[in-house]
Amino acid sequence: MNYYVMTLFPEMIEQGMHTSITGRAIEKGLLSLKTINIRDYSVTGNGRIDDYPYGGGAGMVMQAEPVYRAYESLVCQAEQKALRLIYLTPQGRVFDQSMAQEFACEENLAFLCGHYEGVDERVLEAIVTDYVSIGDYVLTGGELPAMVMMDAISRMVPGVLSNSDSGVSESFSDGLLEYPQYSRPEIWRGCQVPPVLLSGHHGNVDRWRHEQSLLRTLRNRPDLLEHMQLDKADRKFLRKLLEAGADSGLSEKEVSVLQNILENS
Ligand code: ADE
């Protein structure tokens, strides 16, 4: 996977991406990263790349020409004309795991990080293929969202994670949140590791983990469960929870969500 990032803060992207797992993957040649400093393409020669918005209003707008020139240089470097170019904006489609998987199939991915009050619409219309948001809140620029996306996408690139399974066996990959994990010691400050995990019975461990995933998803993200295809064993487990009522530790609200899910599945 080759990443190209157009930004006013290349050092922020370089530092973030050359750290930890993505840093190692870059060293190994599994990922590559090129940052393009939009300021280097200033048309005024003094590094200025923004101007006042037509029609008035607060803030400054990134001008079309420096962004377009940065893009031309990027296309040259990527040697690919039909390049997927992601503009990070709170107005975009909200990023999720399935988008990460989809983007991970590309050979090259380019990102445009905006600042100030935005980027001149004309250049966005000319070059952007995907408008993506990382959530319903407003950040000061697109650098952190671009890094969030690259991190999530990189995990899906074969070889980036040391255990090739870990990319697919975690939260969201099967539509459920991840089950709880435990490590040594067996008893920590009086808290015991769930005995099933010490039993050595792989079938029981798998079943327990799956049930814990169902329970966590019900508690924290019932919306995910509502859209899932539940199998017979899942429904049986959830029905048992419902029958246990208050003894299962579920709140009234969780019980009513569960009733809904079981009625509709
Ligand atoms: N730029 C500013 N806020 C953003 C967000 N939430 N997602 C993507 N890009 C952004």
Side-chain angles (χ1 to χ4, degrees):
M1 168 66 73
N2 307 306
Y3 295 123
Y4 299 86
V5 185
M6 292 187 276
T7 169
L8 293 171
F9 301 100
E11 67 290 344
M12 186 173 170
I13 303 281
E14 295 279 355
Q15 272 191 12
M17 289 297 289
H18 278 95
T19 305
S20 184
I21 292 175
T22 47
R24 245 174 288 138
I26 292 171
E27 273 169 30
K28 279 197 211 159
L30 296 165
L31 307 174
S32 80
L33 172 69
K34 286 214 171 90
T35 50
I36 295 106
N37 190 342
I38 299 169
R39 211 173 285 290
D40 292 342
Y41 298 89
S42 159
V43 281
T44 51
N46 60 0
R48 190 162 170 195
I49 50 81
D50 62 338
D51 211 329
Y52 294 100
Y54 278 122
M60 304 293 272
V61 175
M62 280 168 73
Q63 291 170 292
E65 188 59 18
V67 172
Y68 194 74
R69 288 188 188 180
Y71 168 76
E72 282 180 321
S73 140
L74 182 163
V75 169
C76 252
Q77 292 180 51
E79 293 174 357
Q80 185 184 334
K81 279 225 164 66
L83 194 65
R84 214 144 169 201
L85 193 148
I86 299 155
Y87 176 53
L88 289 314
T89 167
Q91 290 146 42
R93 192 152 67 98
V94 178
F95 188 55
D96 64 11
Q97 193 65 32
S98 67
M99 279 166 87
Q101 254 145 13
E102 185 201 325
F103 284 128
C105 300
E106 299 287 332
E107 198 179 323
N108 296 305
L109 271 183
F111 296 86
L112 170 61
C113 306
H115 261 269
Y116 313 116
E117 288 309 301
V119 179
D120 190 307
E121 193 66 22
R122 293 166 295 183
V123 73
L124 296 179
E125 280 169 12
I127 65 176
V128 173
T129 59
D130 299 86
Y131 293 79
V132 181
S133 163
I134 61 158
D136 291 338
Y137 41 82
V138 182
L139 300 166
T140 55
E143 282 74 14
L144 287 172
M147 282 195 272
V148 165
M149 285 189 67
M150 287 189 282
D151 192 289
I153 294 165
S154 300
R155 298 175 71 261
M156 301 290 128
V157 173
V160 168
L161 295 182
S162 47
N163 172 359
S164 62
D165 277 342
S166 45
V168 288
S169 69
E170 288 173 12
S171 295
F172 298 118
S173 56
D174 58 359
L176 293 175
L177 301 185
E178 200 193 5
Y179 47 79
Q181 295 277 20
Y182 301 86
S183 183
R184 282 197 284 187
E186 242 178 80
I187 301 173
W188 174 78
R189 296 193 179 218
C191 303
Q192 173 91 48
V193 168
V196 63
L197 299 179
L198 310 173
S199 69
H201 191 300
H202 295 305
N204 286 352
V205 169
D206 286 348
R207 187 150 49 90
W208 181 84
R209 284 180 163 166
H210 183 69
E211 289 174 357
Q212 290 298 311
S213 284
L214 283 166
L215 193 54
R216 250 192 193 180
T217 312
L218 171 68
R219 290 231 155 101
N220 301 343
R221 292 292 306 276
D223 55 309
L224 294 177
L225 216 48
E226 276 161 19
H227 298 110
M228 255 194 70
Q229 202 68 22
L230 297 171
D231 67 17
K232 216 168 140 189
D234 292 344
R235 280 199 300 276
K236 190 172 164 198
F237 170 70
L238 293 174
R239 216 171 294 121
K240 259 197 183 155
L241 270 183
L242 196 57
E243 280 158 17
D247 292 342
S248 64
L250 295 180
S251 68
E252 262 178 49
K253 187 160 175 252
E254 284 159 356
V255 166
S256 107
V257 168
L258 193 48
Q259 272 167 339
N260 248 328
I261 289 168
L262 285 170
E263 272 166 26
N264 297 318
S265 71

